[in-house]
Each structure stands twice: as structure tokens, then as C-alpha cells.
Amino acid sequence: MLAKKIANRVSATKAAHRFGPRITYVCAKARAIETANLAGEWQDAACQMDFTAGLRPYLRSAVLHLAVSWSEFENPSDAEMIDSMRRVIAELGGSEHQYVIGVHANRSTLHAHGILNCVHPITGDALSLSHDYARMEKACRRIEFEMGWPQDCGRFDCAIINGDVHLLPKPAKHWDQKIEDRNKGIRRDGRAERGYERRTGLPALRDAISTSVMDQIRNRLNRSKDWQDVHSTLADHGLRYVLHSGGARIMRMTRKWAMAASHLGTAYGLGPMQSRLGAYVAAQQQNGPLAQNIKASGIGSQLIGASKIIEAQRLEHRRLREEPQLVRRQIDAYQTRTAQNIHGQLSGRRTVVAQAIRHIMRQNFRAQIKTWDSDTRAIRQSRFDATVELEKLVPDVMHLRRYRHLLRKIFSDAAAEETAPANVEHTHLRQKWALAPYQSPTEVPEQLSEILKRFPDDLRADQHGNLMLAKRNQRESIVGYDVIEQMAFTVLKSTCGHDDGIGLLGPRDAETMIIVSDAKAAVLQAAHEEKPQPLIIAVQNSLSPHMAHHLKALTKGRRCFIALDEAAEAKDFRSRIAELLPHARYCQQPLDEPLWLDDETKRHVTCEDGLDESDTADGAHVIPTHDT
């Protein structure tokens, strides 16, 4: 989980304390709401907060807007999300302050908003927000540790010392990598880039230029002798280098589509370029035709193709927003003519009848304006968001856009050299898991490819062909991954909270389940199964109370078979499983290596000890040894 503070935009013309719009935004579409230190419902919160904020009239803004979010693969309950936000507020010292919490499920990721009044309702003291980012991150890591949720990346590293969470500075290697990424133009989108994408549907310009073209531009700019060489280099690719707001932009020749010059790389910003080439000199007049050989890459090309449809929708939305204004001008013209006509006929008359006619006329005019306002308010206040329309046109591409920063690293030369999943940190693996369906892995054996197609939500392969088995908790949230290196076929385990995740492979409503020792055994077992598929469960040689409860819930109403490792060190674990699941049949696990590495050998597994085919997992290839 991640927590962030949403900045207030307070202008000189607007009031500093604007609780009402924020509370309405949070609560109007929330599926669960909680208020604290307030009377009445959430509709009554804004006026109480405004009154309390008056105790500190010189405070620039008493509104603190917080958001706590979870990944798309996590599914916490409403109560857990509200409790998490409550604990984040408590970490900031706001437990006694007035606040409203709302849970939103209108996006692919679940999240909770919190609107906190920074003024104490009794003492009138202002809440201290010093190092709020560090305190919120510490609260998130503590909640994850106590709830058994996977640990997300933040600004700090995390260590558990004597049962408590401690934040540690990132190592120097982390910051060196940041500097290297910035030198290659790999950085996150700012507000301007995100706003341009929402208005036009076009991606950031750097995502619309292929990696090879970007490398060519950098190499030629490094050899440039003066500013005219810079302009000539960019013009060959349909681009130009222009000044903008104290810095510089790289823009398309044919349309207003730009990126900051530093997005090409830190060395190509205005400051470094002027240090090397002298003061900026504008481009000379272009005599020849403009080059238009920019080659869009990956998801950028698909968004550019959809942008024509988005542009038509944007123009239609603009036309619909302008229609109410046309109607308003017609109403104003009609009222002006009517008023002139009546005033002309009643000129100089001060009788009761004349005054009544004028009064009725003004009332009718006000009613017309009020009706127009109520009928057209929705369309007049609407804002066109191209990303919403793109979600309908190209949902897969827009899903990838959520990982744009990671894709930029993948497309860079440094990321292309990565060959092994050396980093088993959860956030890194979660990103690989999300991108796996959209990337073509290296050569994968045919039989293994068939297994991946059968279990797309449980088992995936990254771009290097390594397997990833999701580990889930009772709410089906992914709390970790078991990574299997394809060539060596060994398991690398990720960190996942209290290690309370269980690997599930197969249909959740299967009548039969087979318990195996680890992800490797689960994949091997799946390779032998035929329809109907059983539910294969991978557990480790550790059984926490959460895992035991989850395992017992899964076995309820099903036929259960246990096929665990016979190693001596796993004897105690097998005993605990047997005690937990007394109705299960204990079987020997005969699978020890993948078939796709030994195609010449065909393995046939038969039933023994009088256990017929109907007693096995609907054809599950396990060898029975004894009953528990």
C-alpha cells in the first residue's frame, strides 16, 4: 500500500478552506464512509470543519487531503481500507482532529481518501506536517507488516527491528541508478504531460519516438559543434529545439506536441547545452521540406492511431458544451426584446397594474434562467478526459500506460541487458507480473507454453522465460510470487509480509485439490493433469496460523490429496498438515523434474494399493502410499 498527500491549489481569489467540494468528491461516490469527531452525517461535515478552521484564521489552508491505495492485484476489505487510513491519520497526529474517510472502487486499484481538518476542534492548534511523507510511509510499512500484506517500495528501505518498523536511507547504488536513468531521459511524467494526455489522448512525445531514433538523436547531439547542428539534427527527425518558460522544449514541427528537453537526457537540457555550445541561437529558416520520419514505438503507435477518434470526440464534446451558451444568448436576446416592448408600452405608468406586470416579467425571466442553469449545468461543468475514452477503445494499451515508467526502462539499453531475475523484491515482481501478458518471453517449450495458457491468472512467464506463481491470501489478493528459473528449474521466493500466501493453480471451484510442497511441484503436477482439472495448492515448509486457516477453508467440501516431499527435514511439517486435514489422503509425489527437459522419457503414473481412478483427483497423477 502507498499513501500520499494531494496538494491543495489555493489561489488568492478563492477561500483557503474549501472542505465542501473535497468532501463531496470523496463521499458522493464512496462505497463506504466513516467520519470522526463530527456530528451528523458526512453532508454536515463541511460546515463544522469550516467553523473549526475559523479558530486559526491566519492558517493558509486547513485542508489536508490524503489518499491510500493498493495495487490492482490486492483486494482488501472496506473495513481494512478505512482502518488503514485511520492509522495513517493517527501517525500524523490527527486522531483528535475532524476527518472524513471514503473508500473508492471506481478504478482498477482500490483506494481510500481522507479529508482532515488541520485545526484541532478544541485547542485550535494547527497540525504539524513536518516530514509527513516519512511518517506516512512508516505507517504504511507498519500496517503491511501487521496485516501480512506485501511490502511496497517507498522513499526509504524498511527493516523490522525488535518487532517494530524502522525506515533506513536508500543505499548509494539506488541514487546512482536514479542519476543514470535521468541521463537517459527515464523519469516520471509531470502534471503537464499527464494533462496533455487527458486532453488529447496522445502519449508523451518521448513514448512516441522509437528507442533507436532517440539513440540516433543523442549520438548526433553529442557531436554537435554549434546550435545550428542541434537544429539540423532534430529537423531530420521532424523535431525542433525551442525555448520555453526559462528552459527548453523539443517539439514536433507539424503540431503542438512537445516534451521537456531534459526528457531526452539530462545533458540535453537548456543549461547543459548552453554550457557546451554557448547562448541559445534560434534555428535558421528551413528551405527544404520538413522531415516526418518519426517512428512510433510500442504502445505509442497504438495511441497515435486512436488519437484521431479521440480528436473527433473532443470536438463533439466542445460543440455540446457550446450549445448551452448559444441557448443562453438566445434567451438573453428574447428577454431584452420582451423587456423593451413591455417598458415601451408601460412607459411613464406607475399604476399598481403596471408594477405587477413588471414584477411578473422579472419573475418569468429569473425562472427561465434558473431552468436553463439546472438543465445545462452537467454539460457545462463536464470536462473531456481522453483517457476515459481510450480505456474503451484500447483497454490493453491503457493498462500498459500505468507502467509507462517501467516500460521506458525496459526499452532502454541497460534494461535490455538484464537476463536473470536477481531482484526478488515484491514491487519489482508485481510489475513483471502485470507486464507478462503483453510481452513475448524468450523461447518457451511447447508443453510449458500450454500450461501457461491454461492458468493465465495464476502462472505467468516474464520476458526472460522465468515462471512466476502467484501466492494469494484468503481474499484472493496476491501477496507474493514464487519465481522459477526455467533453465535450472529452481525456486526463488519473494518476500510477502508474514509469508502467509498460498500458491493456487487451477479452478477455484474444483471438486478435488492436491497439496504439493512448492511452486516447482505445482507446475510439474499441472503438467500431468487432464480434465477436469483439480485445484493444486503449493505450500512451504512453514504453516502460519493465517495459512492454516486459509488451507482449512479451501479443503472444506472437497476431496483432498497430499503429495508432499518425503525429505526428513519436512517430517514435522507433514505431521502438522496431517493433523490439520485428517480427512485427506496422503500420497507420494513422483514428479521431480520437468518433462519438457526430457522429451524422450514418457512417464506413466499408475494407481496402487487398491485406490481406483475415481478415488484420485479425477485422474490426478499421484501415487497413494497410505491414509492419514
Side-chain angles (χ1 to χ4, degrees):
M1 60 176 287
L2 297 174
K4 68 176 183 179
K5 180 174 68 173
I6 300 177
N8 294 323
R9 298 184 187 180
V10 181
S11 64
T13 59
K14 294 185 178 180
H17 311 300
R18 297 276 292 175
F19 291 100
R22 292 174 175 83
I23 292 175
T24 300
Y25 170 78
V26 169
C27 297
K29 54 184 177 181
R31 72 180 190 184
I33 299 173
E34 178 177 290
T35 62
N37 304 313
L38 292 163
E41 302 295 332
W42 68 265
Q43 292 88 346
D44 308 315
C47 63
Q48 297 178 53
M49 289 184 171
D50 286 331
F51 179 81
T52 301
L55 299 176
R56 201 81 173 183
Y58 299 109
L59 188 64
R60 184 170 183 268
S61 178
V63 184
L64 179 61
H65 188 174
L66 304 174
V68 178
S69 61
W70 288 258
S71 82
E72 59 184 310
F73 306 111
E74 296 179 78
N75 186 32
S77 66
D78 293 347
E80 289 173 338
M81 288 188 280
I82 289 176
D83 182 64
S84 298
M85 176 57 79
R86 189 190 305 118
R87 294 181 62 177
V88 169
I89 292 174
E91 186 71 27
L92 294 175
S95 296
E96 297 181 355
H97 290 239
Q98 299 166 327
Y99 60 83
V100 177
I101 300 174
V103 173
H104 286 189
N106 57 323
R107 297 184 180 179
S108 58
T109 58
L110 294 174
H111 57 283
H113 289 270
I115 306 298
L116 174 68
N117 190 348
C118 291
V119 179
H120 195 283
I122 298 177
T123 64
D125 294 336
L127 185 67
S128 173
L129 298 179
S130 174
H131 291 81
D132 51 359
Y133 61 93
R135 288 189 282 168
M136 288 191 294
E137 183 169 337
K138 186 174 183 179
C140 289
R141 301 293 87 81
R142 182 178 286 122
I143 294 169
E144 290 166 350
F145 174 70
E146 294 179 4
M147 298 296 294
W149 293 341
Q151 179 180 314
D152 264 306
C153 281
R155 300 190 185 190
F156 302 89
D157 285 339
C158 176
I160 308 299
I161 303 175
N162 296 327
D164 192 18
V165 173
H166 294 265
L167 299 182
L168 306 175
K170 291 282 188 182
K173 182 180 178 180
H174 169 82
W175 302 111
D176 293 341
Q177 184 62 47
K178 284 272 190 182
I179 295 174
E180 183 179 348
D181 289 344
R182 285 179 175 269
N183 291 337
K184 296 180 179 179
I186 302 174
R187 59 180 69 194
R188 300 187 181 276
D189 288 341
R191 182 179 296 169
E193 288 83 5
R194 296 195 300 269
Y196 185 79
E197 184 173 345
R198 284 195 297 270
R199 292 192 303 272
T200 64
L202 291 170
L205 180 57
R206 54 182 160 171
D207 292 333
I209 305 176
S210 65
T211 306
S212 60
V213 171
M214 296 277 274
D215 291 338
Q216 293 175 20
I217 294 174
R218 292 190 191 100
N219 292 335
R220 288 188 59 183
L221 289 180
N222 292 337
R223 299 193 300 269
S224 298
K225 302 296 184 181
D226 53 32
W227 279 104
Q228 296 309 317
D229 287 347
V230 173
H231 296 310
S232 176
T233 297
L234 294 175
D236 289 343
H237 297 281
L239 302 169
R240 55 196 174 114
Y241 196 102
V242 297
L243 299 181
H244 178 79
S245 298
R249 277 184 170 183
I250 296 176
M251 300 184 67
R252 286 288 299 272
M253 290 284 193
T254 55
R255 65 184 303 170
K256 192 176 180 181
W257 190 8
M259 67 178 179
S262 59
H263 288 176
L264 186 63
T266 305
Y268 310 105
L270 181 61
M273 292 290 283
Q274 286 184 331
S275 299
R276 185 163 63 92
L277 303 177
Y280 173 80
V281 178
Q284 297 176 357
Q285 184 68 27
Q286 295 286 340
N287 297 323
L290 296 177
Q292 297 298 328
N293 59 347
I294 287 184
K295 297 180 180 179
S297 63
I299 60 177
S301 60
Q302 299 184 52
L303 287 179
I304 292 173
S307 64
K308 296 180 180 179
I309 301 176
I310 295 299
E311 179 65 17
Q313 294 176 342
R314 187 178 66 84
L315 293 176
E316 177 64 16
H317 181 266
R318 177 184 293 180
R319 185 188 65 80
L320 292 176
R321 287 194 63 187
E322 290 175 351
E323 282 185 354
Q325 302 302 328
L326 295 175
V327 174
R328 176 61 185 269
R329 285 195 288 269
Q330 293 174 0
I331 293 175
D332 291 343
Y334 167 77
Q335 291 182 353
T336 300
R337 291 194 304 270
T338 303
Q340 291 174 351
N341 186 21
I342 292 179
H343 288 316
Q345 295 181 9
L346 300 179
S347 178
R349 299 185 181 183
R350 295 292 184 267
T351 64
V352 175
V353 174
Q355 293 179 359
I357 292 174
R358 294 189 184 96
H359 178 70
I360 294 173
M361 178 190 68
R362 288 192 292 269
Q363 282 188 325
N364 290 338
F365 287 174
R366 284 193 292 266
Q368 289 176 354
I369 298 299
K370 187 175 181 180
T371 302
W372 169 87
D373 180 69
S374 61
D375 292 344
T376 62
R377 182 180 295 123
I379 184 62
R380 287 186 291 109
Q381 295 180 351
S382 64
R383 296 291 183 270
F384 181 75
D385 191 344
T387 57
V388 175
E389 303 301 327
L390 287 171
E391 289 281 359
K392 303 174 185 176
L393 293 174
V394 283
D396 291 345
V397 176
M398 293 305 294
H399 181 270
L400 281 179
R401 289 296 289 166
R402 299 184 63 247
Y403 299 92
R404 65 191 74 180
H405 183 63
L406 180 63
L407 288 172
R408 289 167 189 154
K409 292 180 68 67
I410 291 175
F411 291 146
S412 68
D413 294 336
E417 297 174 358
E418 182 186 2
T419 57
N423 188 349
V424 294
E425 185 258 347
H426 178 79
T427 302
H428 179 78
L429 294 178
R430 185 178 66 205
Q431 292 169 343
K432 283 194 169 187
W433 176 268
L435 295 176
Y438 307 98
Q439 292 180 330
S440 298
T442 54
E443 185 176 352
V444 175
E446 182 178 355
Q447 188 170 3
L448 181 56
S449 179
E450 289 298 322
I451 297 176
L452 292 172
K453 292 178 182 177
R454 282 160 49 193
F455 308 106
D457 296 330
D458 299 326
L459 187 69
R460 296 181 181 178
D462 63 15
Q463 59 179 339
H464 307 295
N466 301 299
L467 305 183
M468 301 175 65
L469 177 65
K471 300 165 68 175
R472 302 177 184 271
N473 61 14
Q474 286 185 271
R475 295 191 60 84
E476 283 289 313
S477 295
I478 297 180
V479 296
Y481 304 92
D482 282 339
V483 181
I484 306 173
E485 292 184 278
Q486 183 189 159
M487 298 306 298
F489 210 68
T490 56
V491 179
L492 286 173
K493 290 185 173 61
S494 68
T495 56
C496 59
H498 288 290
D499 201 24
D500 288 338
I502 292 179
L504 302 177
L505 197 61
R508 302 300 189 263
D509 58 349
E511 296 181 358
T512 306
M513 58 181 288
I514 303 174
I515 300 176
V516 297
S517 56
D518 56 20
K520 173 182 173 181
V523 175
L524 294 175
Q525 186 69 52
H528 287 270
E529 298 302 334
E530 300 176 357
K531 294 183 179 181
Q533 289 288 339
L535 175 60
I536 302 172
I537 300 178
V539 295
Q540 292 80 34
N541 290 337
S542 61
L543 198 63
S544 68
H546 288 284
M547 288 180 64
H549 187 269
H550 188 190
L551 192 60
K552 197 165 185 179
L554 286 172
T555 59
K556 188 175 181 180
R558 308 177 195 252
R559 288 180 294 173
C560 180
F561 295 88
I562 303 175
L564 295 177
D565 190 3
E566 293 290 340
E569 56 269 18
K571 184 176 180 181
D572 293 341
F573 180 66
R574 294 198 306 273
S575 300
R576 291 187 61 192
I577 290 288
E579 182 180 352
L580 181 68
L581 307 174
H583 65 286
R585 304 291 297 274
Y586 199 88
C587 304
Q588 179 184 357
Q589 183 182 2
L591 310 173
D592 55 0
E593 64 180 29
L595 294 180
W596 49 87
L597 297 184
D598 187 11
D599 294 334
E600 297 180 359
T601 304
K602 294 185 178 180
R603 302 177 181 274
H604 299 280
V605 184
T606 58
C607 297
E608 299 179 2
D609 293 346
L611 187 66
D612 58 23
E613 188 75 9
S614 62
D615 288 333
T616 63
D618 293 332
H621 296 277
V622 291
I623 298 179
T625 57
H626 62 277
D627 296 343
T628 56

